[in-house]
Each structure stands twice: as C-alpha cells, then as structure tokens.
Amino acid sequence: MSEPSGSALPAGRPSGQPFVHQESLSLDSSCFSSPPVNFLQELPSYRSIARRRTTILSRDKQSGTLLKPTDSYSSQLEGGMTENLDSQSIRKYALNISEKRRLRDIQETQMKYLSEWDQWKRYSSKSWKRFIEKAREMATHLELWREDIRSIEGKFGTGIQSYFSFLRFLVLLNLVIFLIIFMLVLLPVLLTRYKITNSSFVLIPSKGVDIQCTVYPISSSGLIYFYSYIIDLLSGTGFLEDTCLFYGHYTIDGVKFQNFIYDLPLAYLLSTVAYLALSLLWIVKRSVEGFKINLIRSEEHFQSYCNKIFAGWDFCITNRSMAELKHSSLRYELRADLEEERIRQKIAERTSEETIRIYSLRLVLNCIVLAVLAACFYAIYRATIFSQEHMKKEIDKMVFGENLLILYLPSIVITLANFITPMIFAKIIHYEDYSPGFEIRLTILRCVFMRLATICVLVFTLGSKITSCDNYSCELCGYNQKLYPCWETQVGQEMYKLMIFDLIIILAVTLFVDFPRKILVTYCSSWKLFQCWGQQEFAIPDNVLGIVYGQTICWIGAFFSPLLPAIATLKFIIIFYVKEMSLLYTCRPSPRQFRASNSNFFFLLVLLIGLCLAIIPLTISMARIPSSKACGPFTNFNTTWEVVPNTVGTFPSSLQSLVYGVTSEAFAVPFFMIICLVMFYFIALAGAHKRVVLQLREQLSLESRDKRYLIQKLTEAQRDMRNRLD
C-alpha cells in the first residue's frame, strides 16, 4: 500500500491537486520526522480502512480493496480500458490525446494477434457504430422545430425549453397514432371506396337483431340557415356525422381483396390496442431516463446547497433579463430550502397538542377540497344530462347562440371548473402548513386529478345515459337506442367538441387577454393598477396540464373518432406557435423555474396518469357496453371485445389450444411466479448497485480528505523549510 503512494508524493503534482511551486518540491527527507510508511499510515483513508478491517469479516476483503485509496487510479483505468477496448470506443474515455493515441496503438497491436474472422467482426462493428453516429447526427438536423427550441433554450433556459420539447413529443406521438389508425382502418376503406384496388366491401346481415335496433336516422341541418354549417363544423353533427371522422362511417364487416378478406372489425380493435400500447411504451421509455437523473440527484441537503451554489447555473442562457431571472430563481430556491429546513425544525419541536391541531385542520381542509371536487363533478354530470336531453330539439326552434350553448354546455362547465379550482386549491394549501416544495407538488397533483377526472366524469355520465333502459326498446337492444342509435358516434362527437373548445379557449385567452394585458402594462405603466397587475406569467405546470388534458381527450376519443389524432396533431402545432409568440411578446417567465430533468420527468408522469385514466373508460366501453347494432364495424357482435374470441375460433385446433393454454390459469400462475422471481432478482441487483454507489461515494470522500491532509502536510513542510532558511 505504501509503494504507490510513497512514489506519488515526491513525483510531482497529481491531477486534481493545487499547483505547488517548484521550490516546495525540492524537499529533503529530513523534513519529515518519520518514515514514509508511518506518514502514509496517518492518512484518513488508511485509518478508516484499518478501523473497518477490525470489524469486518475476512470474506469482505473485496470491499476493502474497493475503498483502498492508495491504488494507482491510472493503472486501474488503463487495465479496465485495455479489457474493454473491444466493446467501447476510445473516444468515450475522458483522456488527453496522447493517452488516447497510446490506447489506440495497444488496440492495433492486439488486432495483429486475432484471427481473420475476429478482425472482420471488429472492423464491421466499428463501421456499424460509425454509421449509427453519422445517422444520429443527420437525424438531429431533421428534428421538428430544432432551431425554434434552441432559440427558446438560449433565451429562457432549459426549464421552458423542456415544455416545448414535450409539446413536440406529443405532436410526433399523435402523428404516429394517426398513421397506425390510417394504415389499419382508413386505408383499406379508401382503397375500396374509390376503386383504387380490385376489392369490395363485405356486408354480413345481422342475425337475431330486432329491426328497431338497426334504425339510424342521421341528423341533417338542411340548407335553411347559413350558420348550420358552422354549428356542424363545431359540433361534429350534420354533414360531418357520416364522414370518416366518426365511428358510424365504418359500418363494414370486411374488405375482400383478390386472395384474402381483410377483417375490419379486428383491425379496428387492434388499432386501438396498438396506439395505447405504443403510447405506454414510448412514455415509459422517455420517463425512465428522467427517473434515473432524479434518482441520482436524490442527495442530502448539504449536497443540494452545494449543487445550487456551485453547479446551479444554466449556461444555455444568453439573454440578460433571463440571467437576472435565473439569479432570482436561485435565490428563491435557496430561500425555499431554508424555509423547508425551518419547517422541519418546527415539526421536530412541535408538541402533541400542536400536532393534533394541525392534523385536524388538514383533515377539515381536505374535506373542503373533496367537497369542491364533488361539486364540480356534479355540475359536469348535470350539464351533460341537460345537454343530452335538449340537443334532440329541431334546430329551427333555437337561435344560433342557444344551440351552441346547449351543444357546448359540458365543455363550458369543464373549462370553468378547470379555471376556478386551481385558485381555490392555491388558497387552501397556504393554511395546511406544508413546506414550499410539497405545497407546489400537492397543488399540481390536485389540479391534475381535477382536469383528468372531469373527462372521466363526462364519459361515465354518457355511459350511464346510454345504458339506462326505461322501455322495451332499451331492453331489446341492450342500450338506449331511441336517444343513442349510434352511441359510439355521439361519444366521439363529445370528444370532438372538447378538443375544438379547448383550442378555442387557448386562442381566445392568448389573443383577447394576454395581448391586451401586455399593451396596457407596457403603455399605461404609470397607473398603479396596471403596475400591480403586471404581465401574464408563463407558468409551466399550468400549460403542461392543458396539453395533457387535450392528449387524454385524444386517447379516449380516438376509438370513437378515428381522425381525432390528426386533429390533435394540428391542434398541438397551432399551440406551439401560439405559445411561442405568447412567450416572446406577451408573457414573462415564472420566477419559480423548473430544471429540465425534473420537468421532463414531471411532464411524462402526468401524461402517464392521463393515459391510465383514458384506458379505464375505453376498456369498460369495449368490454361491458353492448355495441351499436345500427352502425360501426361491430354490429354483429354483442360487445367490441367479442371479436377476439370469434377470431381465435377460426384458428387451427392446435393454435387454438395454444392460445387457450396461454390465457388459462394453469399458465397464468407459473408466469406470475416467474415474474415475481425476476422482480425480486432485479430488486436485489438494485440493492447491490446501491451499496456499490455508496462505497464509491465514500471513496470519493476519503480521497478528498487525503488530498486535504497531504496539502496540509506539504504546507507545513514548506513553512518549516522557510523557517530553516531564515
């Protein structure tokens, strides 16, 4: 242990140590009062290991080797690199050019002793990696809105840039969802309808279904009123109802090509399962990266202070105003950390009576929050019932505004609830005596639940109206055929109205609220009222909740309205440019900024919650509610999911036995046990990795203590030498 460290001390300045003058290096051995071995035994790392070896068993020698501070780092690095030259590129190592050239020479020397086959594999692997790197470089130049997002990042930092990157991700996600639905459902129908291919529709007459259940009177607004087309365009009724935009247009049992019959009902169901599975996998893949970064940053409070002070600056910022905003943001974070420390100390000093009082207050306030949520949900329920009961009136009995009000009443109530409840939650949270960071997280979670739960309330209200059977026709068809002859299309119309109304609200707020507010604050700054009012803040959480709300609508409505993902793609493109203009000209960034890694993980977590909430009503509608007998591809099935067992019934007997065996309990129980074993293995592996990380952190701490100790000894020796010379 003493040899490498003893040679390292007089050899010169190691990397990471401060510069010492040349005169201080010409030290004589008489400067030290003890031999080098005894001197090295005084290192803090050596003492720590010595204490540990007295308490750790002999089988733990490997951990002692891991923490040995006097091992030559360069020799370990070189040995590890020479072993991994086959699998990793030299470019990835943090070395200078001379060392990289030396490693490249070692690699070329090793290549001479390999067989031709191994040499070919290594050269082909290098060529393939080089090709992948070039392809990735070219792909970065083809990214959507690359220059716009980089400009936003340079002016406003990585926090706001992460919002626009998230918006770009949703544009790409909806575009891929639309392509899946287009390829599986829409393309075969269009090829047959317009005689592009030699194919024909397959229509199987319904068996055992009463004639009343197959009646589907498509509403038509006529040509009397000029505004009827505007109403149809905003509500999805009239001329849009029988287009490929909605479910009822696909009343086809299959498409017959020359050599096979394309099963359209199965393709329709598979497209829904495919886009939900794709969304889940894509979101999980992106969120895992943010989760890793957040896991690494789960440091102690002292490390958090050091990171904010020494590594908290965002070097992407080039704008002076944003630099000042970043300074204030760092000051706010430090104040928030100090406030959290104060609250922790206050909690630790809290008496039992104060604890009972604060928990009682929180219980009362949470009951108020639940009451607010219940009132909003009930208002949405009543508005949906009222709208569904009155939208069947003839259009000539209503004026233009009244008709639109009836059609958009659920959307208006949902928008008002989403606007009012966050302000109520923000007022309530101040009385609950939480830390500032927890206040923000809890308020955001409440707003997320409010925004996403309103859509589910609307869908479940429609489901209750669809399945409410009060007469013979309902019992005969399994659903309320009189009010909802094609209930899937009408649910799709509700999702379509929510999507359109959400876009109208975003545009209206930007054009008629933010821009006038900016003008008044800029040109009427002498008025105290406008000074207090100030510019609109570009609050990242509120904007993220808005687009997640729209994406949840798209996920639910894509089954009932196959072209809704295309509309969502166009909507998010418009929102991108509107929000960019609003950020540049009308809004100011919020003083509470988000880190890019934290923001990305938070955005994807909220999006994942929205996806889970969207899957629930879709699963119930496909598996429990009877499908319409008057429209759609599932007229010959009791439910949408029934197409799966019918398709399995057409397989060969051996394949049927395999499918039934995989879906049986005899396969499910062992599979579940294997999954549990695999999960326990990865949990144990994660625990081992965590212990290694702790050991490496301790090693870094010991090395820093050794450096400080050595610098102190060198300083003392230099002082002694100067005293002798004097």
Side-chain angles (χ1 to χ4, degrees):
M1 173 176 175
S2 60
E3 293 180 359
S5 299
S7 60
L9 182 60
R13 181 175 63 95
S15 63
Q17 293 188 6
F19 179 78
V20 182
H21 292 284
Q22 186 66 29
E23 62 182 30
S24 66
L25 296 178
S26 59
L27 295 178
D28 179 298
S29 61
S30 63
C31 296
F32 298 98
S33 60
S34 59
V37 175
N38 295 333
F39 170 73
L40 293 174
Q41 288 177 355
E42 296 178 4
L43 290 174
S45 59
Y46 183 87
R47 293 179 178 180
S48 176
I49 295 173
R51 287 194 302 268
R52 183 171 299 175
R53 283 178 177 175
T54 59
T55 57
I56 298 179
L57 298 176
S58 59
R59 59 184 175 86
D60 295 331
K61 290 181 179 179
Q62 185 176 1
S63 63
T65 305
L66 176 66
L67 296 175
K68 189 182 295 183
T70 56
D71 289 344
S72 176
Y73 175 75
S74 59
S75 61
Q76 291 180 358
L77 186 62
E78 181 179 349
M81 288 179 181
T82 54
E83 293 178 359
N84 297 328
L85 283 176
D86 297 341
S87 59
Q88 295 186 6
S89 174
I90 298 177
R91 188 186 303 173
K92 297 180 180 178
Y93 293 106
L95 300 173
N96 54 36
I97 298 298
S98 61
E99 291 177 343
K100 287 185 178 181
R101 287 174 179 172
R102 185 167 56 86
L103 288 175
R104 191 176 299 278
D105 294 338
I106 294 173
Q107 188 179 23
E108 292 177 355
T109 305
Q110 292 177 351
M111 289 283 290
K112 297 178 181 178
Y113 300 98
L114 297 177
S115 62
E116 294 182 357
W117 172 251
D118 292 334
Q119 290 182 8
W120 179 84
K121 286 196 301 182
R122 198 170 282 191
Y123 281 126
S124 61
S125 176
K126 283 184 178 180
S127 302
W128 176 251
K129 289 180 180 178
R130 194 176 295 111
F131 171 76
I132 294 297
E133 290 177 359
K134 295 293 183 182
R136 287 178 178 174
E137 290 178 2
M138 293 181 62
T140 55
H141 294 285
L142 299 176
E143 286 183 349
L144 182 65
W145 299 318
R146 179 172 176 265
E147 296 299 329
D148 294 307
I149 292 178
R150 290 183 64 182
S151 175
I152 292 171
E153 181 181 8
K155 293 179 180 178
F156 302 101
T158 56
I160 295 179
Q161 173 264 340
S162 62
Y163 163 76
F164 287 94
S165 298
F166 180 66
L167 195 55
R168 176 177 60 187
F169 164 68
L170 291 183
V171 170
L172 297 177
L173 177 63
N174 284 290
L175 182 61
V176 174
I177 291 174
F178 167 69
L179 291 177
I180 291 173
I181 297 176
F182 179 81
M183 296 297 294
L184 292 178
V185 178
L186 197 59
L187 183 60
V189 175
L190 293 178
L191 292 177
T192 305
R193 189 176 302 278
Y194 294 101
K195 306 297 181 182
I196 299 176
T197 59
N198 188 14
S199 58
S200 59
F201 293 128
V202 177
L203 301 175
I204 302 174
S206 302
K207 297 179 181 179
V209 178
D210 193 271
I211 192 65
Q212 297 180 8
C213 299
T214 60
V215 177
Y216 180 29
I218 299 177
S219 61
S220 177
S221 56
L223 300 174
I224 300 175
Y225 298 99
F226 71 96
Y227 58 82
S228 60
Y229 290 105
I230 300 176
I231 294 175
D232 293 340
L233 187 63
L234 294 176
S235 62
T237 56
F239 72 94
L240 284 179
E241 189 169 351
D242 194 30
T243 60
C244 55
L245 178 61
F246 294 110
Y247 170 94
H249 180 74
Y250 305 93
T251 311
I252 303 166
D253 295 296
V255 179
K256 185 177 181 181
F257 292 93
Q258 290 183 352
N259 300 323
F260 66 97
I261 296 178
Y262 188 77
D263 193 349
L264 189 65
L266 181 63
Y268 199 100
L269 179 62
L270 288 179
S271 66
T272 305
V273 176
Y275 79 72
L276 290 176
L278 172 71
S279 302
L280 178 63
L281 294 176
W282 202 344
I283 294 171
V284 169
K285 180 181 179 299
R286 289 177 64 95
S287 61
V288 164
E289 300 173 358
F291 178 74
K292 289 179 181 178
I293 297 175
N294 285 342
L295 191 63
I296 293 173
R297 286 182 173 172
S298 59
E299 65 267 350
E300 297 177 356
H301 302 296
F302 179 75
Q303 295 174 349
S304 176
Y305 297 145
C306 294
N307 288 339
K308 286 184 176 66
I309 294 172
F310 297 108
W313 185 253
D314 189 351
F315 289 94
C316 295
I317 296 176
T318 58
N319 189 294
R320 183 176 181 84
S321 61
M322 281 304 301
E324 295 175 355
L325 182 65
K326 184 64 179 178
H327 280 291
S328 64
S329 175
L330 289 174
R331 287 195 299 268
Y332 167 78
E333 290 182 5
L334 290 173
R335 285 198 301 267
D337 290 339
L338 294 175
E339 180 67 16
E340 289 184 1
E341 287 292 334
R342 186 190 66 81
I343 291 178
R344 290 192 188 96
Q345 185 177 2
K346 181 180 177 181
I347 291 173
E349 298 174 354
R350 187 179 291 165
T351 62
S352 57
E353 295 179 356
E354 292 177 347
T355 303
I356 294 174
R357 182 186 61 80
I358 191 63
Y359 278 102
S360 301
L361 179 61
R362 289 175 183 175
L363 179 62
V364 173
L365 293 176
N366 280 281
C367 291
I368 296 175
V369 170
L370 293 177
V372 171
L373 293 175
C376 294
F377 295 158
Y378 182 74
I380 295 169
Y381 171 78
R382 295 304 307 172
T384 306
I385 296 295
F386 182 83
S387 176
Q388 294 296 312
E389 290 177 351
H390 290 77
M391 70 166 42
K392 297 300 179 181
K393 293 182 179 181
E394 295 294 332
I395 195 170
D396 55 358
K397 296 181 181 179
M398 298 183 185
V399 297
F400 176 70
E402 183 184 359
N403 194 18
L404 278 181
L405 181 63
I406 294 296
L407 290 173
Y408 275 91
L409 186 60
S411 303
I412 293 172
V413 174
I414 289 175
T415 303
L416 288 176
N418 293 334
F419 176 74
I420 295 173
T421 51
M423 294 188 293
I424 298 176
F425 295 157
K427 294 295 183 182
I428 290 176
I429 197 71
H430 291 307
Y431 300 99
E432 295 186 79
D433 198 13
Y434 291 119
S435 63
F438 189 76
E439 282 185 3
I440 296 173
R441 291 192 292 270
L442 183 59
T443 305
I444 290 174
L445 287 177
R446 286 172 176 173
C447 295
V448 167
F449 179 76
M450 177 62 203
R451 278 184 175 268
L452 301 182
T454 52
I455 308 174
C456 294
V457 170
L458 173 64
V459 174
F460 283 117
T461 304
L462 291 173
S464 64
K465 290 291 293 181
I466 291 167
T467 56
S468 60
C469 299
D470 298 330
N471 51 35
Y472 176 73
S473 63
C474 292
E475 296 176 358
L476 185 64
C477 303
Y479 58 94
N480 195 337
Q481 198 274 338
K482 184 177 180 181
L483 291 178
Y484 304 97
C486 184
W487 64 266
E488 292 92 346
T489 294
Q490 288 166 295
V491 174
Q493 290 171 351
E494 292 296 328
M495 298 295 107
Y496 174 81
K497 286 186 287 186
L498 284 176
M499 183 77 70
I500 298 299
F501 190 75
D502 185 49
L503 178 61
I504 292 173
I505 290 297
I506 292 174
L507 295 177
V509 169
T510 304
L511 294 175
F512 302 113
V513 177
D514 292 344
F515 275 104
R517 181 174 178 176
K518 169 69 174 180
I519 293 172
L520 292 174
V521 171
T522 303
Y523 296 102
C524 301
S525 58
S526 59
W527 294 18
K528 293 184 179 180
L529 177 62
F530 295 127
Q531 287 181 357
C532 297
W533 194 15
Q535 295 184 23
Q536 176 68 30
E537 289 185 0
F538 191 87
I540 296 177
D542 295 338
N543 286 281
V544 169
L545 293 182
I547 60 177
V548 170
Y549 167 78
Q551 184 59 42
T552 307
I553 294 172
C554 177
W555 277 324
I556 296 176
F559 176 77
F560 308 104
S561 178
L563 294 185
L564 203 61
I567 299 174
T569 304
L570 296 176
K571 171 190 171 183
F572 288 138
I573 291 174
I574 295 172
I575 289 176
F576 182 91
Y577 289 109
V578 170
K579 291 297 181 181
E580 184 182 12
M581 296 293 292
S582 176
L583 176 65
L584 294 175
Y585 299 107
T586 64
C587 294
R588 61 183 176 88
S590 174
R592 292 183 176 183
Q593 294 190 355
F594 283 70
R595 286 183 180 267
S597 58
N598 297 341
S599 301
N600 291 329
F601 180 67
F602 165 72
F603 299 163
L604 294 169
L605 178 62
V606 174
L607 192 63
L608 188 62
I609 295 173
L611 178 61
C612 295
L613 290 178
I615 291 175
I616 295 173
L618 279 177
T619 304
I620 294 175
S621 63
M622 289 189 294
R624 303 291 297 175
I625 302 178
S627 57
S628 297
K629 302 301 183 292
C631 68
F634 302 100
T635 54
N636 292 313
F637 302 97
N638 291 328
T639 59
T640 302
W641 189 255
E642 194 176 326
V643 69
V644 175
N646 284 12
T647 304
V648 173
T650 61
F651 292 168
S653 58
S654 58
L655 188 57
Q656 288 186 34
S657 302
L658 178 63
V659 173
Y660 291 143
V662 169
T663 56
S664 64
E665 295 84 354
F667 177 82
V669 174
F671 180 75
F672 178 74
M673 294 178 65
I674 293 173
I675 291 296
C676 290
L677 292 176
V678 172
M679 183 180 66
F680 291 148
Y681 166 75
F682 280 107
I683 290 174
L685 188 64
H689 289 168
K690 185 177 181 180
R691 287 192 295 271
V692 171
V693 170
L694 293 176
Q695 290 176 353
L696 292 174
R697 286 182 176 178
E698 185 177 355
Q699 182 180 359
L700 289 174
S701 176
L702 290 174
E703 287 182 357
S704 64
R705 291 168 60 188
D706 286 347
K707 290 178 181 179
R708 185 173 60 182
Y709 179 77
L710 291 174
I711 292 173
Q712 181 180 358
K713 288 297 182 182
L714 286 173
T715 306
E716 292 176 358
Q718 186 178 8
R719 188 183 303 112
D720 293 341
M721 176 175 287
R722 289 177 178 175
N723 292 334
R724 290 182 181 183
L725 293 176
D726 294 339

